[in-house]
Amino acid sequence: MRTVGKLPRHRPLSRTQSSPLPQSPQALQQLVMQQQHQQFLEKQKQQQMQLGKILTKTGELSRQPTTHPEETEEELTEQQEALLGEGALTMPREGSTESESTQEDLEEEEDEEEDEEDCIQVKDEDGESGPDEGADLEESSAGYKKLFADAQQLQPLQVYQAPLSLATVPHQALGRTQSSPAAPGSMKSPTDHPTVVKHLFTTGVVYDTFMLKHQCMCGNTHVHPEHAGRIQSIWSRLQETGLLSKCERIRGRKATLDEIQTVHSEYHTLLYGTSPLNRQKLDSKKLLGPISQKMYAMLPCGGIGVDSDTVWNEMHSSSAVRMAVGCLVELAFKVAAGELKNGFAIIRPPGHHAEESTAMGFCFFNSVAITAKLLQQKLSVGKVLIVDWDIHHGNGTQQAFYDDPSVLYISLHRYDNGNFFPGSGAPEEVGGGPGVGYNVNVAWTGGVDPPIGDVEYLTAFRTVVMPIAHEFSPDVVLVSAGFDAVEGHLSPLGGYSVTARCFGHLTRQLMTLAGGRVVLALEGGHDLTAICDASEACVSALLSVELQPLDEAVLQQKPSINAVATLEKVIEIQSKHWSCVQRFATGLGCSLREAQTGEKEEAETVSAMALLSMGAEQAQAAATQEHSPRPAEEPMEQEPAL
Ligand code: X5A
Ligand code: ZN
């Protein structure tokens, strides 16, 4: 590796000529100036943070919140990012040629390293930044690099065209000083006077174009259903529907190698978390021979990978897979810390199949599992509930927490007695050691005649998922939100007929847990209409926007015989660990309407009995306790728990 100069060096201007330049010279000039300005600000911020840290150490500022005198300047950056985020949407699917992108990435990697030598290395406020093998490979948060990297891929007209939905949003009022990214809605034209942006307590959404680069080297996206268009489409949908402007956009980052190692082995982490360039540097330091001779299968499509699903792009995939993890971590931390109401992570590739040292089923790093571990280790979160409604069992997530009673894993998946991918997820798999009872598999069996649909998922939530979840009483809920159970996905990647809107209703039920601290992370699903519809429904629920009601037919239909058998089995097994589920062992076969009536009558009976057996005042207290097992801070359920 060549030595790095002391002065910050931006990309040579000539590089940008490989892609179309902004047509107006003023526009280009502006972009360059903004980029340089941003670079200056980043430097200034680093120094400021360093100063803050020193002062904090001596105790002088220990109780003082971090102030950001550069606030207004940051906002300028946010405007640019919002602009670029928009532009990225219209980025051509098959972007630049392979040789061009490779060159691009080489320079990106170089820039990363320059940066790290260039800037003062300051860690997060939590301070626990032990020796980190990954740290020296990390991209600092310097926005200017991304600015230029992304700008290259933009068509000039798209860059400078403020989308209508954003342009019409009124200014945000002056608010508390904080440096988290502004909502796209706060974007103004660069000529406006900068003002401080108020950060709303709303739904956070995270998305980053780095994740688009994970593509098979065969270049044929049709062979590989887990492609970049999935997250591009969802991002576009949230924009088009105006939902995104009600959310706060969170800036993503690449997870560090240390963060990834909370779940994965060091070898696995280095294998998939490094690219040839930063690996070379690592090799000389750590003498990691095996990593430099990594082995992949040659795929029939012409590319390489673990298997035909789990493809690898030696140049780009490591950035993408680390970005997917880092995006979710950033979002979940803000939700857990109370900065955001809840969140939706538009990330790829998915993660729930990734085990400690195994990549499979499109997955390399288990983003949800890593996030759960980090919330506990860095934010002292106690109990985490992971709900996995991807149609496939999350074998990696189950493995990561199998013996751990502080993380409850509940998966609903197509099982068919072990004949559906990945084959794990039997109802008898309940956890091990101290974790017995903290693994719940709603393992649908009986094929697709009839297909499992809304009634079955809603019944599972009514009788198993929500009762156990409430009894567990998590501090945070993470959802492995795959949408491949949505109608439109055929076997072997689906076969079920859950509606997109149903996932909105499931989300709304989960919001009654953990004080509403719910974060959804995209996992599987490849039918673009289905995953966009379902994402829209879930984000609507997170925003507490009125949902499309379920069809009355759904509420009146009884669950299929196969589904009832599945639920009977899981209740029988889990009633040893969760007392709450026993009462649902009977009445599984009734419709949601019937259940609703039954529960209402049951509640009335309880009140009446209480009134009879004691004074009215005590009865009132008893009834309140009976029906509100959750702390008062939590929102009321917006619909009866169907
Ligand atoms: C996340 C997900 C499916 C893997 C299928 C492998 N995985 N044939 O949807
Ligand atoms: Zn799946």
Side-chain angles (χ1 to χ4, degrees):
M1 294 267 89
R2 51 181 188 73
T3 359
V4 172
K6 263 279 159 249
L7 283 170
R9 201 190 57 125
H10 60 77
R11 289 161 189 275
L13 218 65
S14 59
R15 273 200 64 218
T16 61
Q17 286 162 358
S18 64
S19 58
L21 283 163
Q23 274 158 0
S24 116
Q26 295 96 319
L28 176 64
Q29 186 58 31
Q30 192 178 28
L31 199 64
V32 172
M33 274 169 58
Q34 287 170 351
Q35 179 256 347
Q36 286 168 337
H37 184 55
Q38 170 58 16
Q39 189 176 315
F40 165 73
L41 289 176
E42 285 293 336
K43 192 96 180 172
Q44 197 184 43
K45 189 176 167 184
Q46 298 273 2
Q47 286 164 358
Q48 216 136 26
M49 284 168 72
Q50 183 75 354
L51 181 67
K53 190 149 181 129
I54 292 161
L55 291 173
T56 305
K57 267 190 187 144
T58 60
E60 288 169 46
L61 279 179
S62 54
R63 301 289 304 167
Q64 244 171 280
T66 328
T67 53
H68 299 280
E70 75 280 26
E71 191 101 317
T72 54
E73 312 260 3
E74 276 186 11
E75 199 209 2
L76 187 69
T77 313
E78 286 155 8
Q79 292 166 17
Q80 296 159 0
E81 293 216 330
L83 274 162
L84 292 162
E86 301 297 324
L89 287 170
T90 45
M91 186 183 126
R93 189 70 66 81
E94 315 283 359
S96 45
T97 67
E98 191 54 43
S99 62
E100 209 176 276
S101 348
T102 303
Q103 182 57 29
E104 236 175 68
D105 205 70
L106 281 165
E107 295 195 28
E108 255 159 36
E109 301 275 6
E110 281 176 10
D111 282 3
E112 278 178 34
E113 293 181 28
E114 279 170 325
D115 212 65
E116 127 248 327
E117 308 228 2
D118 203 40
C119 300
I120 305 154
Q121 197 72 37
V122 183
K123 282 280 169 175
D124 292 335
E125 286 145 42
D126 58 25
E128 286 156 27
S129 55
D132 179 1
E133 297 95 320
D136 61 331
L137 302 170
E138 291 320 306
E139 178 183 37
S140 86
S141 63
Y144 70 90
K145 285 181 300 165
K146 190 170 177 308
L147 185 74
F148 243 20
D150 286 359
Q152 291 170 1
Q153 305 176 6
L154 299 172
Q155 303 297 316
L157 283 174
Q158 287 155 352
V159 176
Y160 296 100
Q161 209 170 35
L164 252 175
S165 62
L166 298 182
T168 52
V169 169
H171 285 200
Q172 304 287 342
L174 199 104
R176 69 198 168 97
T177 54
Q178 212 185 30
S179 62
S180 54
S186 64
M187 190 188 73
K188 300 182 300 299
S189 87
T191 51
D192 282 3
H193 289 293
T195 55
V196 176
V197 177
K198 180 176 179 180
H199 299 278
L200 298 171
F201 183 72
T202 183
T203 300
V205 174
V206 69
Y207 171 77
D208 194 290
T209 55
F210 256 94
M211 292 176 290
L212 304 177
K213 294 187 169 194
H214 172 65
Q215 278 171 312
C216 187
M217 294 189 298
C218 76
N220 182 353
T221 52
H222 304 288
V223 192
H224 305 288
E226 199 292 286
H227 59 83
R230 298 172 63 241
I231 58 171
Q232 280 183 312
S233 303
I234 292 171
W235 178 250
S236 298
R237 173 66 73 87
L238 295 185
Q239 279 195 308
E240 289 160 10
T241 52
L243 287 170
L244 196 62
S245 62
K246 295 187 170 75
C247 299
E248 178 129 349
R249 183 175 177 187
I250 302 308
R251 184 205 296 246
R253 64 171 172 87
K254 294 183 203 167
T256 68
L257 299 178
D258 268 359
E259 287 173 328
I260 293 162
Q261 284 180 71
T262 55
V263 167
H264 299 285
S265 67
E266 184 187 45
Y267 181 78
H268 183 88
T269 302
L270 293 172
L271 192 58
Y272 299 115
T274 59
S275 73
L277 266 164
N278 53 21
R279 198 175 306 129
Q280 198 181 335
K281 183 174 175 179
L282 197 79
D283 279 354
S284 60
K285 273 190 197 163
K286 301 201 70 188
L287 303 166
L288 277 161
I291 304 287
S292 54
Q293 294 144 31
K294 49 201 263 184
M295 296 290 283
Y296 287 110
M298 306 289 295
L299 304 175
C301 62
I304 57 164
V306 176
D307 55 57
S308 285
D309 289 331
T310 321
V311 299
W312 192 251
N313 185 313
E314 188 65 353
M315 229 48 223
H316 299 299
S317 289
S318 61
S319 289
V321 297
R322 281 171 62 175
M323 183 58 80
V325 178
C327 280
L328 183 59
V329 170
E330 283 296 301
L331 180 65
F333 268 53
K334 288 190 192 312
V335 172
E339 285 178 50
L340 292 169
K341 181 190 177 196
N342 50 38
F344 190 86
I346 311 169
I347 54 175
R348 72 173 284 266
H352 73 154
H353 296 309
E355 296 182 351
E356 182 179 8
S357 294
T358 309
M360 59 184 279
F362 308 129
C363 306
F364 298 89
F365 295 147
N366 195 320
S367 304
V368 168
I370 293 164
T371 300
K373 291 267 194 198
L374 289 172
L375 285 172
Q376 295 185 320
Q377 291 174 14
K378 304 280 182 193
L379 274 192
S380 303
V381 169
K383 291 177 285 179
V384 179
L385 166 65
I386 299 176
V387 174
D388 188 336
W389 66 43
D390 185 284
I391 198 169
H392 302 96
H393 181 241
N395 55 291
T397 314
Q398 170 170 304
Q399 187 200 57
F401 304 107
Y402 205 65
D403 296 330
D404 187 346
S406 68
V407 178
L408 169 60
Y409 178 64
I410 307 181
S411 177
L412 305 98
H413 52 272
R414 183 171 171 189
Y415 181 60
D416 288 350
N417 288 311
N419 292 305
F420 195 74
F421 183 90
S424 57
E428 293 83 6
E429 295 164 9
V430 296
V436 166
Y438 294 90
N439 197 87
V440 179
N441 285 321
V442 178
W444 304 118
T445 286
V448 292
D449 189 22
I452 299 284
D454 290 6
V455 182
E456 288 73 26
Y457 274 75
L458 290 163
T459 303
F461 262 58
R462 177 178 75 82
T463 62
V464 177
V465 180
M466 294 311 296
I468 292 178
H470 277 301
E471 189 169 331
F472 178 64
S473 188
D475 300 305
V476 176
V477 179
L478 302 179
V479 184
S480 269
F483 294 124
D484 38 13
V486 178
E487 49 195 353
H489 293 86
L490 305 177
S491 301
L493 288 173
Y496 286 178
S497 61
V498 184
T499 65
R501 77 175 73 168
C502 180
F503 282 101
H505 290 263
L506 300 182
T507 300
R508 198 164 73 178
Q509 290 189 34
L510 294 177
M511 288 164 67
T512 65
L513 300 157
R517 291 179 290 273
V518 177
V519 181
L520 273 59
L522 182 67
E523 296 273 4
H526 62 274
D527 182 273
L528 297 184
T529 306
I531 65 176
C532 288
D533 288 351
S535 298
E536 183 183 336
C538 291
V539 172
S540 298
L542 292 172
L543 284 165
S544 302
V545 166
E546 200 181 345
L547 301 180
Q548 285 203 319
L550 297 158
D551 284 336
E552 186 57 31
V554 167
L555 302 180
Q556 286 178 10
Q557 196 186 322
K558 296 177 196 306
S560 74
I561 293 167
N562 292 334
V564 171
T566 292
L567 293 172
E568 273 171 352
K569 193 162 191 174
V570 66
I571 286 173
E572 183 199 315
I573 292 165
Q574 292 293 343
S575 59
K576 293 180 188 70
H577 314 291
W578 303 95
S579 58
C580 56
V581 295
Q582 188 55 54
R583 61 186 281 250
F584 299 103
T586 55
L588 279 171
C590 68
S591 73
L592 296 154
R593 277 271 177 255
E594 287 165 347
Q596 207 173 26
T597 314
E599 275 162 26
K600 195 172 161 231
E601 279 166 6
E602 201 180 324
E604 282 164 5
T605 307
V606 168
S607 308
M609 299 279 279
L611 273 165
L612 281 171
S613 64
M614 59 185 101
E617 212 177 76
Q618 291 158 292
Q620 192 66 45
T624 307
Q625 244 189 345
E626 179 76 25
H627 299 295
S628 327
R630 302 179 299 284
E633 60 164 295
E634 293 173 16
M636 290 297 290
E637 273 174 283
Q638 289 167 17
E639 67 179 9
L642 289 169

